[in-house]
Amino acid sequence: MKYCRLELDGRAEWGLVEERAGKEWITALLASPWRMEPTTVLGVPVGEARLLAPVAPTKIVCVGRNYRDHAKELGNEVPKEPLLFLKPPSSLLGAGGVVRMPRVAERVDYEGELAVVVGRRIHRLKADEDVQPYLHGVTVANDVTARDLQKKDGQWTRAKGFDGFCPVGPVVSTEVTAAAIDAGLVVETRQNGELRQHGSTADFIFSLRELLVYITAAITLEPGDLLLTGTPAGVGPVAAGDEVEVTVAGVGSLRNRFAAEEE
Ligand code: MG
């Protein structure tokens, strides 16, 4: 199943995305998809919907430097333990949304990532436990980062947390399993159509299970929470007017345009 979130009559609604007669349609749902109580309200063609981020997390937990080649490209050591940080839910943006680059930042980078959506509360996951029952699905994210502020501030809250710095979508797919993530999903980023990042989740330094064990020893994850799993090598700066497209094979392509901060 593929789920999205869309704006209908000024309200955020959940939707089920299905192909019918060669066209993708959204069926609006009355309940959040992890409750699995869908009720049809009406159908909307995907191309005509205003898509929102297809998640409603209480928190967005992120992992830094989880691909060896990306850790090295910024001159950092390969971490011995997962490097965690948070992005605020206010940074979420849907597919097609415009990322506003704050004037205070001199360099804003894209970071294409696989994101995992939690389906069941996870508290102190055991090292030998199967993670699959705890997952709702996966989606595509761009961990937008003000690179100069990340260095200047000494911690990453502002650099990673501006409004709109977490584009996610277009859909959550429940068809991708934890085993498929371990086996390797291709994550690619294109800037104005040029390939900038190409990685595989098989090259994670810490596997999804290791990440969830480490995270939930400290932080209980709730249904709907989002985990950004890190970015492969090839991060780089964007300019106003650029379009960045992050693709996770079998899940979807997340496209966003970047623009200068509004007056
Ligand atoms: Mg990142």
Side-chain angles (χ1 to χ4, degrees):
M1 311 285 255
K2 287 187 172 172
Y3 295 98
C4 69
R5 214 163 190 225
L6 71 162
E7 191 181 298
L8 278 177
D9 302 327
R11 283 174 39 187
E13 306 282 1
W14 297 102
L16 174 65
V17 181
E18 294 170 301
E19 200 176 303
R20 270 182 264 146
K23 199 172 174 187
E24 282 193 306
W25 287 80
I26 300 169
T27 301
L29 308 176
L30 283 181
S32 59
W34 49 86
R35 287 180 177 268
M36 301 302 284
E37 297 161 4
T39 305
T40 302
V41 179
L42 78 167
V44 182
V46 165
E48 292 169 26
R50 185 170 172 257
L51 292 178
L52 306 171
V55 288
T58 68
K59 52 200 164 293
I60 305 165
V61 182
C62 309
V63 186
R65 299 168 199 157
N66 199 31
Y67 290 80
R68 223 164 284 277
D69 49 358
H70 169 61
K72 284 184 190 155
E73 77 175 336
L74 296 178
N76 296 302
E77 295 287 310
V78 172
K80 292 185 177 62
E81 289 186 307
L83 176 61
L84 302 183
F85 62 95
L86 296 168
K87 283 169 99 82
S90 47
S91 65
L92 286 170
L93 184 72
V98 176
V99 182
R100 294 281 171 186
M101 299 189 293
R103 260 188 300 270
V104 293
E106 286 174 8
R107 174 176 160 164
V108 174
D109 281 14
Y110 55 80
E111 292 190 4
E113 308 198 4
L114 170 79
V116 173
V117 184
V118 173
R120 260 173 60 189
R121 172 179 280 204
I122 320 177
H123 175 67
R124 294 187 181 170
L125 185 78
K126 294 180 187 70
D128 59 352
E129 220 173 329
D130 182 10
V131 302
Q132 188 60 45
Y134 294 99
L135 305 185
H136 169 62
V138 303
T139 185
V140 185
N142 190 341
D143 174 21
V144 180
T145 303
R147 197 66 72 198
D148 56 321
L149 301 184
Q150 184 182 23
K151 294 195 178 87
K152 180 181 156 197
D153 288 359
Q155 47 75 38
W156 303 359
T157 306
R158 186 168 66 138
K160 301 268 194 182
F162 283 97
D163 289 359
F165 269 29
C166 193
V168 174
V171 297
V172 172
S173 171
T174 60
E175 293 154 24
V176 175
T177 60
I181 296 170
D182 291 343
L185 295 178
V186 173
V187 179
E188 288 184 328
T189 306
R190 286 177 177 78
Q191 182 176 25
N192 303 322
E194 301 262 339
L195 185 66
R196 300 289 189 216
Q197 294 187 286
H198 174 92
S200 167
T201 59
D203 297 328
F204 279 175
I205 297 172
F206 302 103
S207 70
L208 179 60
R209 182 211 299 267
E210 288 169 326
L211 292 175
L212 289 173
V213 169
Y214 186 84
I215 292 164
T216 63
I219 302 168
T220 299
L221 296 177
E222 302 292 346
D225 280 354
L226 197 60
L227 168 62
L228 268 58
T229 56
T231 199
V235 299
V238 290
D242 284 358
E243 188 193 68
V244 175
E245 178 183 36
V246 184
T247 302
V248 176
V251 181
S253 290
L254 169 69
R255 281 183 215 95
N256 296 92
R257 202 167 55 77
F258 285 71
E261 186 180 320
E262 281 173 315
E263 292 302 315

